[in-house]
Amino acid sequence: MGQRKESVVMLSYQTGAPGAPLIEAESETPVPTGTEVLIKTVACGVCHSDIHLHDGGFELGDGKVLNVGREGHVLGHEIFGEVVAVGPDAQDVAVGDRRVVYPWIGCGECAVCERGEEHLCTPGRALGIVAAGGFATHVLIPHSRYLFDKGAVPDALAATYACSGLTAYGAIKKLGELSPADEVVIIGAGGVGMMAIQIARALGIDPIVVDIDPAKLEAAQQLGVTRTYDSSDMDSAKAIRKTYGGVYAALDFVGAESSVNYGLATLRKGGMLLVVGLFGGALSLPIPFLPMNARVIQGSYVGSPEDMAELMVMVREGKIAPIDIQERPLSEASAALADLKQGKVKGRQVLVAD
């Protein structure tokens, strides 16, 4: 399998004070040992989760904050790269392979990991979350089983499947088998929501899409969505419930108090609200309404390695149309975070090697 001679210096863009510009740092390029694989970053997506980690916290509502900030951390979990070195025990991988990286890596030993749900391992070893991620020229991967072939899709697009694609697929998979009359609402047509639209349509689901931004609703229509609503008006939730008798499921890719309440307002009895987004806030709900309406409120967090494998089969078979990608140099990581935070981004930003 061999090694490719790499520069001794690795560049990374690390967190400083909460919300402050990332700091460019130089360090020695890691040398893989055991089953480890070293990749050179080709592309890395910028996710809303990166904003929370950059700012140092998640809003929990009622003035509470989950503190997650730490200095010297390398963000970036939507990674596509080229293998440049492998450890002596690495198998099924060779220098020169170009792969999408599954970043939601667990400890590999706990009961959760034994169930195949590494993405739910706590604290785990997720790249860009716990371990160093893709806002760097190189990333060290623990094992080749976390590397997936992208097929013929463009490099920058391939990176997005590790989070936005996987998150969307993992949420839609939780819907189970739908009957023809089971309507599904997608709340939020941002980067992940747009990917969810693509995956849903590929699976034969014709979703209703809601957003507060007319431009995003127009973008959804360009993907073939025929039913869109302005979710800034709660009356539109009533219109959905009246028109369709309530929906079977609402997938909330925003995760704010307003979007969660909107989703609940669209459901029929026995309906399901899947909360995917992490915008923040708190939910207040009369407890008797849960059994009276027989509703399910469930969280959905990214996806398992099995989910990733299934998604990448769909990608390689060309079943998922591309979303809008905005490429910018890796050195603009701070600016990319700022633009995303300010709502200036349509689709997905992807940092590419300078």
Side-chain angles (χ1 to χ4, degrees), residues 217-266:
L217 293 179
E218 183 179 351
Q221 292 165 5
Q222 291 172 358
L223 293 178
V225 174
T226 59
R227 299 172 296 173
T228 58
Y229 290 82
D230 178 1
S231 54
S232 65
D233 180 4
M234 278 299 291
D235 284 341
S236 65
K238 296 178 183 177
I240 291 172
R241 195 169 65 248
K242 182 178 180 180
T243 302
Y244 305 104
V247 303
Y248 170 71
L251 281 67
D252 181 5
F253 291 100
V254 180
E257 291 183 35
S258 57
S259 61
V260 166
N261 285 317
Y262 186 97
L264 287 171
T266 66

Side-chain angles (χ1 to χ4, degrees), residues 14 19 24 26 45 122 174 204 238 249 253 286 308 320 328 341:
Q14 303 180 1
E24 182 178 287
E26 293 185 357
T122 305
K174 289 179 175 64
K238 296 178 183 177
F253 291 100
M308 184 71 177
I320 304 175
R328 57 196 309 175
K341 185 176 180 179

Side-chain angles (χ1 to χ4, degrees), residues 88-296:
D89 300 324
Q91 298 179 358
D92 303 320
V93 64
V95 169
D97 287 348
R98 293 164 66 82
R99 297 289 184 262
V100 180
V101 180
Y102 176 85
W104 313 105
I105 299 168
C107 69
E109 299 175 352
C110 67
V112 171
C113 288
E114 288 182 0
R115 286 174 54 88
E117 298 177 334
E118 289 193 48
H119 60 302
L120 302 180
C121 179
T122 305
R125 298 177 291 168
L127 303 175
I129 309 295
V130 178
F135 286 11
T137 56
H138 297 78
V139 184
L140 195 61
I141 316 300
H143 198 283
S144 61
R145 68 172 175 268
Y146 302 116
L147 304 178
F148 291 85
D149 181 12
K150 73 178 179 68
V153 301
D155 295 348
L157 177 61
T160 67
Y161 292 120
C163 178
S164 63
L166 179 62
T167 297
Y169 180 77
I172 291 171
K173 189 175 176 181
K174 289 179 175 64
L175 297 179
E177 187 173 347
L178 301 175
S179 75
D182 289 336
E183 297 286 0
V184 175
V185 167
I186 288 177
I187 302 172
V192 185
M194 291 295 278
M195 191 72 79
I197 292 168
Q198 299 284 23
I199 294 171
R201 288 176 55 80
L203 294 172
I205 301 170
D206 180 23
I208 300 165
V209 176
V210 307
D211 201 287
I212 61 174
D213 185 346
K216 290 180 179 178
L217 293 179
E218 183 179 351
Q221 292 165 5
Q222 291 172 358
L223 293 178
V225 174
T226 59
R227 299 172 296 173
T228 58
Y229 290 82
D230 178 1
S231 54
S232 65
D233 180 4
M234 278 299 291
D235 284 341
S236 65
K238 296 178 183 177
I240 291 172
R241 195 169 65 248
K242 182 178 180 180
T243 302
Y244 305 104
V247 303
Y248 170 71
L251 281 67
D252 181 5
F253 291 100
V254 180
E257 291 183 35
S258 57
S259 61
V260 166
N261 285 317
Y262 186 97
L264 287 171
T266 66
L267 296 181
R268 72 190 191 200
K269 274 196 172 184
M272 173 190 302
L273 173 68
L274 277 167
V275 182
V276 186
L278 294 165
F279 187 86
L283 173 64
S284 178
L285 183 70
I287 293 174
F289 283 4
L290 287 173
M292 288 170 63
N293 290 315
R295 288 173 175 165
V296 175

Side-chain angles (χ1 to χ4, degrees), residues 299-320:
S300 184
Y301 183 69
V302 294
S304 68
E306 179 184 357
D307 294 335
M308 184 71 177
E310 293 170 359
L311 171 66
M312 294 312 296
V313 169
M314 295 178 65
V315 170
R316 292 193 295 271
E317 291 178 350
K319 294 182 178 179
I320 304 175

